[in-house]
Amino acid sequence: MRLDKFLANMGYGSRKEVKKLLKTGAVRVNEEVIKDAKKHIAIEQDQVVVNGEEVEYKEFVYLMMNKPQGVISATEDAHEQTVVDLLELEDARYEPFPVGRLDKDTEGFVLLTNNGKLSHELLSPKKHVPKTYYARIQGKVTDEDIEKFKNGVTLDDGYKTKPGVLVILKSDEVSEIELTITEGKFHQVKRMFQAVGKKVTYLKRLSIGPLLLDATLDLGEYRELTEDEVEKLVNR
């Protein structure tokens, strides 16, 4: 790959900006200062250093974030803070995007990646990728609700959902539940409970496919997936 293309891909600016950077002598390839933008490098073997910092090449990046409330699942927005705004520059340079959406007022697991093929597979209705949520519900959740969710409920727009697995953790005036669904309609969990006459007061996504949200991540924090986690996601 050409050196200027490599550095542009790694977030060091446009091709024009990279050429200026090269002219300053800030870039070394295998300890040799390189100013020629057209120089080809072997991205897996050659060591590239910019201003004393080694550039680690990765084609894809996979990030697990514990999204806080008030942040939207988008790459950019003129008015709202997005999940991408929470990323460090070293991760943002890979231009990852959230896989699917998590409502602004919902917390929990958001997966960000720049692997479009994997994102498409995880979002495809045909793949039936399960997502599990924890919720607090205004009103008593009953065994009858479990049966209704198992058979699919009809939402306010007439759409009948695919079966959902509802687990009651606590049934009281404020109930606590876990719900696993395989689709991602707009506000789906809230609308499913609305369909059985109940209201979601707090919602958090716990898992996507085979991956559980890392319990050590505070709200707004994120980390890269391990190789094992990436493998589980790709070969699920």
Side-chain angles (χ1 to χ4, degrees):
M1 187 185 291
R2 272 177 54 145
L3 184 56
D4 58 349
K5 183 173 191 297
F6 171 75
L7 291 172
N9 285 359
M10 299 307 292
Y12 285 92
S14 64
R15 292 276 191 106
K16 193 175 176 184
E17 288 166 337
V18 165
K19 280 180 179 135
K20 283 183 187 169
L21 179 69
L22 285 160
K23 279 178 186 168
T24 68
V27 181
R28 290 174 175 265
V29 178
N30 300 329
E31 300 190 358
E32 181 189 348
V33 173
I34 302 293
K35 296 186 177 183
D36 180 9
K38 297 192 186 81
K39 180 177 172 66
H40 276 74
I41 60 163
I43 52 180
E44 302 293 348
Q45 287 104 34
D46 290 336
Q47 182 196 51
V48 180
V49 173
V50 177
N51 291 319
E53 185 183 326
E54 187 170 354
V55 183
E56 185 190 351
Y57 177 74
K58 286 182 287 194
E59 184 178 7
F60 297 123
V61 66
Y62 305 91
L63 306 171
M64 172 189 291
M65 177 181 286
N66 187 2
K67 185 187 91 65
Q69 290 184 16
V71 175
I72 63 170
S73 298
T75 52
E76 56 183 333
D77 190 274
H79 308 290
E80 307 281 359
Q81 187 179 35
T82 73
V83 287
V84 170
D85 293 332
L86 299 178
L87 301 180
E88 299 286 340
L89 180 61
E90 63 195 54
D91 298 308
R93 69 167 56 141
Y94 291 98
E95 299 185 349
F97 47 85
V99 177
R101 58 176 172 240
L102 199 57
D103 301 336
K104 182 179 172 181
D105 57 354
T106 300
E107 295 177 0
F109 189 174
V110 169
L111 177 68
L112 295 105
T113 184
N114 55 352
N115 184 337
K117 182 173 179 288
L118 179 66
S119 174
H120 177 73
E121 285 180 7
L122 291 172
L123 294 173
S124 170
K126 293 174 186 171
K127 300 290 183 181
H128 307 298
V129 177
K131 298 175 191 72
T132 299
Y133 297 80
Y134 163 83
R136 288 197 284 269
I137 311 296
Q138 194 71 46
K140 282 194 176 184
V141 180
T142 64
D143 289 344
E144 189 184 343
D145 295 324
I146 291 176
E147 281 305 306
K148 285 179 180 174
F149 277 41
K150 196 161 123 183
N151 295 317
V153 295
T154 303
L155 303 182
D156 48 7
D157 60 358
Y159 175 80
K160 187 173 180 184
T161 68
K162 291 189 171 71
V165 178
L166 177 60
V167 176
I168 300 171
L169 305 175
K170 177 185 169 188
S171 180
D172 212 327
E173 293 310 312
V174 176
S175 298
E176 295 179 37
I177 63 93
E178 283 186 6
L179 175 63
T180 302
I181 56 177
T182 58
E183 27 182 18
K185 299 291 178 190
F186 183 66
H187 289 318
Q188 181 161 339
V189 176
K190 293 171 188 172
R191 290 164 70 204
M192 286 177 79
F193 276 99
Q194 195 177 13
V196 295
K198 298 180 176 73
K199 185 180 179 185
V200 173
T201 58
Y202 171 82
L203 188 59
K204 178 175 186 170
R205 184 153 68 195
L206 303 176
S207 70
I208 299 173
L211 302 188
L212 290 172
L213 177 64
D214 187 332
T216 66
L217 288 175
D218 289 332
L219 287 169
E221 288 188 338
Y222 69 94
R223 67 164 174 79
E224 278 198 67
L225 295 189
T226 64
E227 283 182 25
D228 184 46
E229 287 171 331
V230 172
E231 204 170 305
K232 278 183 185 173
L233 209 53
V234 172
N235 302 319
R236 71 203 174 284

